Amino acid sequence: MLKKGCAIATVVLLAVYGFYLWLLWGRIETLPVFLLSGFGAIGFLMFFSQLKEVVFGPAGGAALKRAEKGLPLEDGQEEAVWGPIEPLGAPLEAPFSGRACVAYEYDAKQGGEGAASTMAGLALAPSVIRSHRGDVNLLGFSLLEQWPEKRFDDAEARERATRWAATTEFREMGLAKIGAMFSALDEAMADDDGSVRMDMRTREVTADGLASCALKEKVILPGETVTAVGIWDSAKGGLVPRLRGKSTIVRVTPGGGAAAVVSATRRPWGTFAFAIVWAGFAHAIIAFIVWKFPR
């Protein structure tokens, strides 16, 4: 799912980039041609992706509105639920904080924000959402984009990180293995048994190396109210990422109720306006060059 979406976006981006290269080639110097083609292609993709959300609404909007009305869950359809989440068995232990949790993401990064992660990972325990539409099993993983990130710089957290690095089996990642990394992430997010774990690293992790890393962690705590959107599988009693030819990314966000519905279904006017400015500026320059500098 994730891999397919990235592949489609990459193909479209490269096709548009190639078109702008062809359009501008020979009119101005080579370096500006490459730069302008990149800005134009990114602007094109941003504009149409945001236009889709403005016109049709964010993904899962219809499911959230049905949930707000309390309609019955329909087998094979995208549905939404909200309520407290609880692990079905023992909770997970977060790698750096040691907190008991239902799901976590972690990242140990050496250097600034743009630096590569030394090690990173995610996990989900088999869990159930005690929702307003009944108990619903969470059977797919969602990246914790909207959860607050906590940073750790104390000795105890660094000691936990060192133990984690010494006892964990990692997948190697990096630019040379970007395809394998996306495949692994896609596989984790498509897993539908409710138990997910993925750990990655770019290099051998040592205590000395971790001492200079920024340790970051996100968690979903037991009892926390969440909203989940996925395909309802009545046989499994849960939300899954794929069923009978349909597929989606199971999305989990903090909070629930009417406020969550309003927030999740709000049109992205701000990012749409930014996309218009970016795309408009880039394409105005491209149009000016085509007009003023014939081959």
Side-chain angles (χ1 to χ4, degrees):
M1 294 173 293
L2 183 66
K3 187 178 178 182
K4 181 180 178 182
C6 289
I8 292 171
T10 301
V11 168
V12 173
L13 182 67
L14 290 176
V16 177
Y17 180 70
F19 171 74
Y20 289 140
L21 279 178
W22 170 81
L23 190 64
L24 295 171
W25 198 261
R27 297 178 188 271
I28 55 176
E29 293 182 8
T30 303
L31 181 59
V33 166
F34 282 110
L35 293 175
L36 273 175
S37 298
F39 276 110
I42 292 170
F44 178 91
L45 205 62
M46 285 172 54
F47 174 78
F48 282 101
S49 66
Q50 294 305 310
L51 178 64
K52 179 184 174 184
E53 288 206 6
V54 164
V55 174
F56 298 106
L64 284 159
K65 289 177 181 177
R66 285 199 303 276
E68 190 175 28
K69 294 175 182 177
L71 298 177
L73 296 164
E74 292 187 30
D75 189 51
Q77 299 301 311
E78 187 174 58
E79 295 285 5
V81 298
W82 54 76
I85 188 169
E86 300 286 353
L88 289 172
L92 300 172
E93 182 178 312
F96 303 150
S97 66
R99 289 178 289 180
C101 58
V102 173
Y104 63 71
E105 286 182 17
Y106 70 92
D107 187 12
K109 188 170 292 187
Q110 207 160 30
E113 286 299 320
S117 298
T118 299
M119 66 176 184
L122 51 85
L124 169 71
S127 52
V128 61
I129 299 171
R130 312 290 186 190
S131 86
H132 63 303
R133 304 169 89 180
D135 286 358
V136 172
N137 295 320
L138 182 60
L139 301 174
F141 188 83
S142 168
L143 295 177
L144 310 185
E145 294 175 351
Q146 296 188 34
W147 262 265
E149 181 180 81
K150 193 167 183 180
R151 300 188 178 210
F152 300 90
D153 195 23
D154 57 282
E156 191 174 351
R158 294 200 178 276
E159 186 179 337
R160 283 198 189 95
T162 301
R163 285 200 305 269
W164 186 268
T167 58
T168 297
E169 185 177 342
F170 292 96
R171 290 175 183 260
E172 301 298 327
M173 63 178 179
L175 289 176
K177 299 184 178 182
I178 192 73
M181 187 175 70
F182 270 108
S183 293
L185 186 56
D186 196 53
E187 181 184 323
M189 297 183 76
D191 190 286
D192 62 359
D193 67 359
S195 180
V196 175
R197 180 169 173 182
M198 181 177 172
D199 300 283
M200 304 168 288
R201 69 181 184 185
T202 55
R203 60 178 71 87
E204 193 71 31
V205 186
T206 65
D208 289 341
L210 285 171
S212 59
C213 281
L215 305 180
K216 304 174 186 178
E217 187 180 88
K218 296 180 181 182
V219 298
I220 301 178
L221 300 173
E224 189 172 352
T225 296
V226 303
T227 295
V229 182
I231 301 170
W232 171 246
D233 185 337
S234 58
K236 293 184 176 181
L239 298 176
V240 298
R242 54 189 175 191
L243 182 67
R244 295 193 290 273
K246 283 188 175 182
S247 65
T248 188
I249 294 174
V250 176
R251 297 177 295 281
V252 185
T253 54
V261 175
V262 170
S263 176
T265 56
R266 187 180 293 124
R267 296 302 202 263
W269 293 109
T271 50
F272 182 52
F274 176 76
I276 289 174
V277 172
W278 179 306
F281 183 69
H283 286 80
I285 295 175
I286 291 171
F288 177 79
I289 290 170
V290 171
W291 175 46
K292 284 289 188 180
F293 300 94
R295 286 194 180 99

